[in-house]
């Protein structure tokens, strides 16, 4: 097989962008060939035409390195006596800013893809940022230890005079424990919530344009996909704690219900305002009622919060009133058996959601379709079936008042759908209630082992069921993993991560006290304020600025600076004991 040493670049002035590589194709075939490529996730027998190579020619094309690419070439029907044929189907993971070669010498004979120029270290900026933040954390911790030593009461020669002893006794006698809003909170909960909101800020600002910090195209799971469900999960945990506390101080259930309704209404109103602001940023005009997006992140959280909070308000007992559940043979299951009405309602919601997903007839689409639609899914067979029943319901209910972006990074043009639509909000209710149950485990059991073992068992149970549903793969099984659809397998997977993460934080922060939770604990005391603030200031200096040449390193620096600045604001609010709640 011919191995070329020719210059792979046709345009020497062309500069590769983020997640791009050169692919040099040498065609020694006697006919013109058509080169196709498409992300492996979207390959169903039809690729995107990238270029046509004349006979005995070479050409360099720019390919995406975001996802593994499925590539092949075809021969036009008029050029081949046997009709249109496709050859050399292969899948390859190109690396950013590398140069690759592929030789086509005769029918169905192709070389392996070879490397002409080694790719750059795409993830080196992440490693460098991690090391810098680790060093800063070490310096911060060391400085705090030094300050404590300087402020200590022992003199260098370890000698106290009578005046020192008298002053120490007086200070001890009159010392009081200062109680603040922050000191009365559960540190592991605030740390969990702060981690979610800071990661949400980082992801929403671009995440350095790394695939792992951006939402998956349709199927699969990335770090960005887990941010919203984990925030919803920890919100459920706080519901269990707050409602039990309110009921124990003899607040009427009617008053608690009105508070839940008011809080949900405020979140929805703020969400609509943010949608209006985003419309202003994207289109340059104020949103009108004809195109204002109704669903949104805060709206999804508001509805799921209201449903779960109302269930706990109605059915939760402020004290265990069943002696058999408290001390009898079923004491080890009291967190489940004591909440059987709520679980029954959750099972009903799950049944309704699943039935609608798989049984609702959608015109021109198969029942139970969960894919993205568009012309590249199954060769365009389901082009008008984006999001299946969920997308159909959203388009019927919301019309123009929904997510307007219809360009998918893999599947090209798809129909409008809303990732925070009605069906996805119903799925979010299940995530929130898993968090509610985690909160009940936290309250009902006193030994750390009893709590952690139950959280781990729930993590295993939800994880295994999710794996069975998706066949332990991203794009297969009865119900594939999809954040866009908020599928059941995705709900169970994210809940599994929620149980695991909180168990680890509880041990490290609340039980063993190895870690204070800083810096995430500061953001966790004012999560809604930080979320709203970063949306309103997105793209504004000093949070962001124009970068002439985009690269992972430059964008990562700016996105981390944005996140760090909001972390500093969160620390100031924490230090001043300012807690802004809705």
């Amino acid at each position: 097989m011919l191995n070329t040493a020719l210059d792979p670049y046709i345009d020497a002035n062309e500069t590769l962008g983020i997640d791009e590589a050169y692919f040099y194709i040498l065609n020694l075939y006697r006919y013109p060939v058509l080169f196709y490529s498409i992300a492996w996730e979207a390959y169903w027998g039809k690729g995107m035409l990238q270029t046509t190579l004349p006979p005995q020619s070479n050409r360099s094309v720019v390919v995406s390195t975001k996802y593994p690419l499925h590539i092949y070439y075809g021969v036009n029907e008029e050029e081949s006596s046997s009709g249109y044929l496709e050859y050399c189907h292969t899948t390859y993971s190109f690396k950013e800013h590398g140069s690759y070669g592929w030789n086509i010498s005769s029918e169905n004979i192709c070389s392996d893809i070879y490397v002409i120029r080694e790719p750059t270290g795409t993830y080196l900026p992440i490693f460098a940022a991690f090391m810098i933040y680790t060093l800063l954390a070490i310096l911060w911790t060391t400085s705090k230890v030094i300050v404590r030593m300087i402020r200590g009461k022992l003199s260098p020669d370890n000698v106290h005079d009578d005046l020192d002893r008298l002053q120490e006794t007086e200070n001890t006698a009159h010392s009081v424990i200062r109680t603040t809003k922050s000191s009365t909170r559960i540190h592991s909960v605030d740390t969990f919530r702060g981690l979610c909101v800071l990661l949400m800020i980082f992801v929403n600002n671009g995440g350095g344009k790394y695939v792992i910090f951006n939402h998956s195209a349709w199927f699969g799971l990335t770090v960005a996909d887990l941010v919203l469900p984990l925030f919803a999960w920890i919100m459920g945990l706080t519901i269990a704690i707050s409602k039990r506390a309110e009921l124990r101080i003899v607040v009427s259930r009617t008053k608690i219900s009105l508070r839940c309704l008011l809080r949900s209404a405020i979140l929805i109103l703020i969400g609509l305002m943010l949608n209006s602001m985003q419309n202003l940023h994207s289109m340059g005009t104020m949103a009108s009622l004809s195109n204002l997006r109704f669903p949104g992140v805060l709206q999804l959280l508001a509805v799921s919060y209201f449903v779960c909070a109302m269930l706990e308000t109605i059915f939760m007992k402020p004290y265990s009133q069943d002696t058999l559940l408290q001390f009898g043979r079923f004491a080890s299951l009291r967190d489940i058996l004591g909440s059987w009405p709520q679980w029954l309602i959750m099972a009903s919601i799950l049944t309704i959601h699943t039935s609608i997903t798989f049984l609702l007839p959608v015109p021109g689409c198969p029942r139970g379709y969960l894919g993205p639609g568009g012309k590249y899914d199954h060769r365009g067979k389901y082009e008008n079936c984006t999001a299946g029943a969920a997308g159909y319901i959203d388009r019927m209910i919301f019309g123009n008042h929904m997510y307007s972006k219809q360009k998918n990074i893999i599947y090209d043009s798809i129909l409008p759908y809303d990732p925070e639509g009605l069906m996805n909000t119903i799925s979010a209710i299940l995530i929130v209630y898993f968090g509610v149950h985690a909160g009940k485990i936290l309250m009902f059991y006193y030994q750390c082992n009893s709590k952690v073992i139950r959280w781990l068992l729930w993590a295993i149970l939800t994880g295994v069921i999710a794996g069975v549903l998706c066949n332990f793969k991203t794009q297969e099984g009865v119900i594939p993993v999809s954040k866009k659809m908020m599928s059941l397998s995705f709900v169970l997977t994210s809940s599994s991560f929620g149980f695991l993460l909180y168990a680890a934080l509880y041990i490290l922060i609340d039980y063993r006290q190895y870690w204070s939770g800083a810096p995430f604990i500061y953001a966790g005391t004012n999560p809604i304020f930080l979320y709203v603030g970063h949306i309103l200031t997105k793209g504004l200096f000093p949070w962001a600025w124009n970068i002439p040449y985009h690269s992972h390193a430059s964008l990562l620096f700016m996105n981390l600076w944005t996140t760090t600045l909001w972390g500093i604001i969160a620390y100031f609010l924490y230090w001043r004991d300012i807690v802004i709640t809705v």
Side-chain angles (χ1 to χ4, degrees):
M1 186 60 64
L2 177 64
N3 190 0
T4 181
L6 297 176
D7 186 359
Y9 308 108
I10 288 180
D11 184 359
N13 296 321
E14 185 177 8
T15 303
L16 290 174
I18 294 177
D19 296 322
E20 290 182 343
Y22 283 118
F23 189 39
Y24 174 61
I25 308 171
L26 178 63
N27 177 27
L28 298 179
Y29 199 71
R30 62 183 181 274
Y31 301 124
V33 298
L34 309 176
F35 172 66
Y36 295 87
S37 71
I38 193 169
W40 171 246
E41 176 184 322
Y43 177 68
W44 296 96
K46 181 181 179 181
M48 300 181 185
L49 178 63
Q50 302 297 333
T51 188
T52 301
L53 284 80
Q56 305 292 319
S57 66
N58 60 76
R59 182 157 296 177
S60 180
V61 296
V62 176
V63 294
S64 173
T65 62
K66 283 183 176 290
Y67 308 98
L69 284 184
H70 185 81
I71 63 174
Y72 62 96
Y73 75 88
V75 180
N76 280 328
E77 185 175 354
E78 60 271 15
E79 302 289 353
S80 174
S81 58
S82 55
Y84 176 79
L85 296 175
E86 295 177 355
Y87 298 109
C88 299
H89 285 262
T90 185
T91 301
Y92 193 84
S93 295
F94 296 93
K95 303 302 181 184
E96 186 182 62
H97 294 178
S99 294
Y100 302 85
W102 197 38
N103 301 337
I104 303 170
S105 58
S106 62
E107 288 190 12
N108 203 22
I109 300 178
C110 306
S111 72
D112 292 332
I113 297 175
Y114 52 88
V115 179
I116 298 174
R117 186 179 66 187
E118 291 293 336
T120 58
T122 306
Y123 292 98
L124 283 179
I126 295 180
F127 177 75
F130 174 78
M131 295 302 296
I132 291 173
Y133 275 96
T134 301
L135 179 61
L136 291 175
I138 293 174
L139 293 176
W140 174 261
T141 303
T142 304
S143 65
K144 290 180 68 175
V145 172
I146 293 175
V147 169
R148 288 176 182 175
M149 291 177 62
I150 294 175
R151 291 180 177 178
K153 296 186 178 299
L154 291 178
S155 61
D157 56 357
N158 200 27
V159 176
H160 286 270
D161 56 24
D162 293 340
L163 182 60
D164 291 332
R165 292 192 184 95
L166 179 62
Q167 185 177 3
E168 182 178 349
T169 304
E170 182 179 353
N171 289 339
T172 304
H174 292 86
S175 63
V176 294
I177 298 176
R178 180 173 177 262
T179 301
T180 64
K181 297 176 183 178
S182 302
S183 65
T184 59
R185 302 167 70 94
I186 301 176
H187 291 178
S188 58
V189 173
D190 280 340
T191 302
F192 190 115
R193 190 162 42 199
L195 176 62
C196 289
V197 74
L198 288 180
L199 190 56
M200 191 180 298
I201 292 173
F202 176 66
V203 166
N204 287 350
N205 280 277
K209 292 296 181 182
Y210 283 101
V211 174
I212 58 173
F213 296 130
N214 282 266
H215 294 293
S216 54
W218 197 268
F219 298 109
L221 194 66
T222 66
V223 174
D225 292 331
L226 290 172
V227 175
L228 177 58
L230 287 181
F231 189 87
W233 188 92
I234 197 64
M235 181 179 69
L237 189 147
T238 60
I239 288 174
I241 297 173
S242 63
K243 298 311 161 195
R244 187 177 177 89
E246 289 177 2
L247 289 171
R248 280 190 166 187
I249 59 176
V250 199
V251 177
S252 69
R253 296 181 190 266
T254 301
K255 190 174 182 179
I256 297 175
S257 300
L258 292 176
R259 286 180 182 175
C260 294
L261 179 61
L262 178 61
R263 187 180 189 219
S264 299
I266 293 174
L267 287 175
I268 291 175
L269 179 60
I270 296 175
L272 291 174
M273 293 170 61
L274 294 183
N275 287 353
S276 177
M277 290 295 298
Q278 290 175 332
N279 206 25
L280 177 63
H281 288 315
S282 61
M283 300 182 180
T285 59
M286 291 298 293
S288 64
L289 291 179
S290 62
N291 60 7
L292 177 62
R293 181 191 176 200
F294 289 165
V297 171
L298 291 183
Q299 292 90 315
L300 178 143
L301 293 175
V303 174
S304 56
Y305 165 83
F306 179 75
V307 172
C308 293
M310 285 301 299
L311 286 177
E312 294 308 301
T313 301
I314 295 171
F315 295 108
M316 177 182 277
K317 300 179 179 63
Y319 301 94
S320 182
Q321 300 174 1
D322 194 326
T323 305
L324 186 62
L325 289 181
Q326 185 71 15
F327 303 106
R329 66 182 68 179
F330 300 111
S332 59
L333 297 175
R334 61 181 180 270
D335 55 311
I336 301 175
L337 298 179
S339 303
W340 68 265
Q342 295 97 307
W343 280 114
L344 184 61
I345 293 173
M346 286 298 122
S348 302
I349 291 175
L350 174 60
T351 302
I352 293 172
H353 183 276
T354 305
S355 300
I356 293 175
T357 300
F358 288 95
L359 299 180
L360 180 70
V362 179
C365 303
R367 296 190 182 188
Y369 179 76
L370 299 173
K375 61 181 178 180
Y376 290 107
D377 186 25
H378 291 79
R379 289 182 176 264
K381 186 178 179 181
Y382 309 126
E383 186 170 357
N384 296 320
C385 300
T386 300
Y392 177 70
I393 291 173
D394 286 342
R395 288 188 290 272
M396 292 291 292
I397 294 177
F398 298 115
N400 295 329
H401 303 282
M402 58 187 297
Y403 193 66
S404 59
K405 187 176 180 181
Q406 300 177 36
K407 192 76 171 179
N408 188 277
I409 190 173
I410 287 181
Y411 299 97
D412 202 14
S413 296
I414 59 177
L415 290 184
Y417 79 99
D418 204 299
E420 283 83 42
L422 180 61
M423 292 291 285
N424 287 13
T425 301
I426 295 176
S427 295
I429 293 173
L430 300 175
I431 298 177
V432 173
Y433 197 75
F434 277 119
V436 170
H437 188 72
K440 291 182 178 179
I441 293 174
L442 178 65
M443 294 185 300
F444 289 174
Y445 302 96
Y446 300 104
Q447 294 184 345
C448 178
N449 289 342
S450 299
K451 300 176 184 180
V452 172
I453 288 174
R454 283 170 173 80
W455 288 327
L456 293 180
L457 287 176
W458 275 100
I460 294 171
L461 178 64
T462 52
V464 169
I465 295 176
V468 172
L469 291 176
C470 68
N471 200 23
F472 291 94
K473 296 182 180 178
T474 59
Q475 202 172 344
E476 298 184 12
V478 180
I479 305 179
V481 176
S482 174
K483 193 270 177 186
K484 304 287 187 183
M485 292 289 298
M486 205 77 81
S487 62
L488 179 58
S489 57
F490 174 78
V491 167
L492 294 172
T493 300
S494 54
S495 297
S496 178
F497 278 108
F499 283 111
L500 284 174
L501 179 58
Y502 186 73
L505 293 178
Y506 179 80
I507 294 173
L508 292 174
I509 298 172
D510 291 334
Y511 182 62
R512 292 294 185 182
Q513 298 184 358
Y514 292 145
W515 179 32
S516 66
F520 305 111
I521 191 173
Y522 310 133
T525 56
N526 289 286
I528 299 298
F529 172 79
L530 296 186
Y531 175 79
V532 173
H534 102 274
I535 293 293
L536 295 178
T537 59
K538 189 175 181 180
L540 301 179
F541 186 83
W543 287 273
W545 54 87
N546 182 48
I547 298 178
Y549 175 70
H550 284 193
S551 66
H552 282 303
S554 61
L555 291 173
L556 180 67
F557 173 79
M558 185 175 67
N559 299 152
L560 285 175
W561 163 250
T562 303
T563 308
T564 302
L565 187 55
W566 279 111
I568 294 172
I569 294 172
Y571 175 73
F572 174 78
L573 294 175
Y574 184 91
W575 176 60
R576 299 291 296 176
D577 198 30
I578 299 173
V579 179
I580 303 173
T581 59
V582 175

